Amino acid sequence: GAVVSQHPSWVICKSGTSVKIECRSLDFQATTMFWYRQFPKQSLMLMATSNEGSKATYEQGVEKDKFLINHASLTLSTLTVTSAHPEDSSFYICSAATGNEKLFFGSGTQLSVL
Amino acid sequence: AQKVTQAQTEISVVEKEDVTLDCVYETRDTTYYLFWYKQPPSGELVFLIRRNSFDEQNEISGRYSWNFQKSTSSFNFTITASQVVDSAVYFCALRGYSGYALNFGKGTSLLVTP
């Protein structure tokens, strides 16, 4: 079946640094990818929807300047957390939609900002 | 607006007991899709089922069964003869007619003890 690869699976960084998370669809082209955020013992909250070749659409309350999303190709979307702070520590999950409307999730990235 | 409510935050059962996880949804769309995902401690989301709004037939897959009741806007999930490996957080999710983004409930944490 379709696979979505997300890297890294975990990252620890110092406050003020930027962190990039990659999401790749390995055997299909994903015109649309989604980024979710999950705090401990909480639900997954949609952060943004990214379409290949266009600007991402951010959900209300999500800072677009802080969470930079790039979807430069049909198989790769990246989320960059800029100037990360401890409150950005969270579990980030990407998902990719196939042409037949199926949705596949990456394995997630645990970000810890010290 | 779309909303998914999983009223049960945590459930604890003893192995071999049956357990039902509740899911109630709200949507104005006449066409919509409902999902259940399992999230084990490792974090990845495991797809369990997708059901569209036109198909109210209940479904059984091994020890798993789902009861879709449009009249009560519910899509409940039952695990029969639970096993320790079933311990995880289970999310119910809703997708509207347009777009692929999922709205997740807050999840139900299931603990199955030997």
Side-chain angles (χ1 to χ4, degrees):
Chain A
V3 176
V4 174
S5 174
Q6 185 174 341
H7 291 283
S9 55
W10 60 270
V11 57
I12 301 173
C13 69
K14 291 183 179 180
S15 186
T17 60
S18 294
V19 175
K20 180 185 283 188
I21 303 170
E22 290 190 350
C23 181
R24 294 180 185 272
S25 56
L26 294 185
D27 51 3
F28 66 97
Q29 293 184 332
T31 53
T32 305
M33 288 188 174
F34 304 90
W35 288 94
Y36 290 85
R37 181 176 184 176
Q38 185 182 26
F39 290 107
K41 298 189 177 183
Q42 298 293 318
S43 186
L44 287 82
M45 301 303 296
L46 180 66
M47 298 174 66
T49 302
S50 102
N51 292 295
E52 185 265 338
S54 62
K55 290 184 178 180
T57 302
Y58 290 82
E59 295 299 303
Q60 192 174 7
V62 178
E63 299 176 59
K64 61 180 67 176
D65 293 332
K66 179 165 195 59
F67 299 100
L68 300 179
I69 292 173
N70 183 281
H71 194 163
S73 77
L74 287 171
T75 59
L76 174 64
S77 176
T78 60
L79 167 67
T80 301
V81 183
T82 62
S83 187
H85 291 285
E87 58 266 29
D88 299 324
S89 298
S90 185
F91 191 63
Y92 295 87
I93 306 178
C94 70
S95 66
T98 68
N100 59 359
E101 301 188 352
K102 291 191 175 180
L103 197 63
F104 295 90
F105 285 84
S107 54
T109 298
Q110 180 64 52
L111 170 64
S112 297
V113 184
L114 304 178
Chain B
Q2 298 182 348
K3 185 179 178 182
V4 176
T5 301
Q6 295 179 256
Q8 305 149 307
T9 305
E10 295 180 352
I11 299 177
S12 182
V13 299
V14 177
E15 207 169 19
K16 298 184 182 177
E17 287 185 5
D18 298 346
V19 58
T20 296
L21 309 181
D22 298 333
C23 174
V24 175
Y25 62 91
E26 296 176 31
T27 180
R28 292 178 185 169
D29 290 347
T30 53
T31 300
Y32 52 89
Y33 303 87
L34 294 162
F35 302 78
W36 274 95
Y37 285 88
K38 174 182 179 180
Q39 187 179 43
S42 53
E44 80 274 19
L45 285 175
V46 179
F47 169 82
L48 296 177
I49 190 172
R50 164 182 140 155
R51 176 53 50 88
N52 71 52
S53 53
F54 298 127
D55 183 3
E56 286 194 70
Q57 276 194 337
N58 292 327
E59 182 159 338
I60 298 175
S61 176
R63 296 185 296 107
Y64 296 168
S65 61
W66 290 269
N67 185 342
F68 179 26
Q69 297 279 347
K70 247 176 143 173
S71 60
T72 56
S73 297
S74 65
F75 187 43
N76 297 337
F77 172 34
T78 297
I79 302 175
T80 303
S82 59
Q83 300 176 1
V84 173
V85 293
D86 295 327
S87 297
V89 179
Y90 291 86
F91 289 98
C92 179
L94 168 69
R95 196 199 105 188
Y97 176 68
S98 59
Y100 302 111
L102 300 183
N103 290 288
F104 286 87
K106 291 188 175 181
T108 297
S109 177
L110 174 65
L111 176 64
V112 182
T113 55

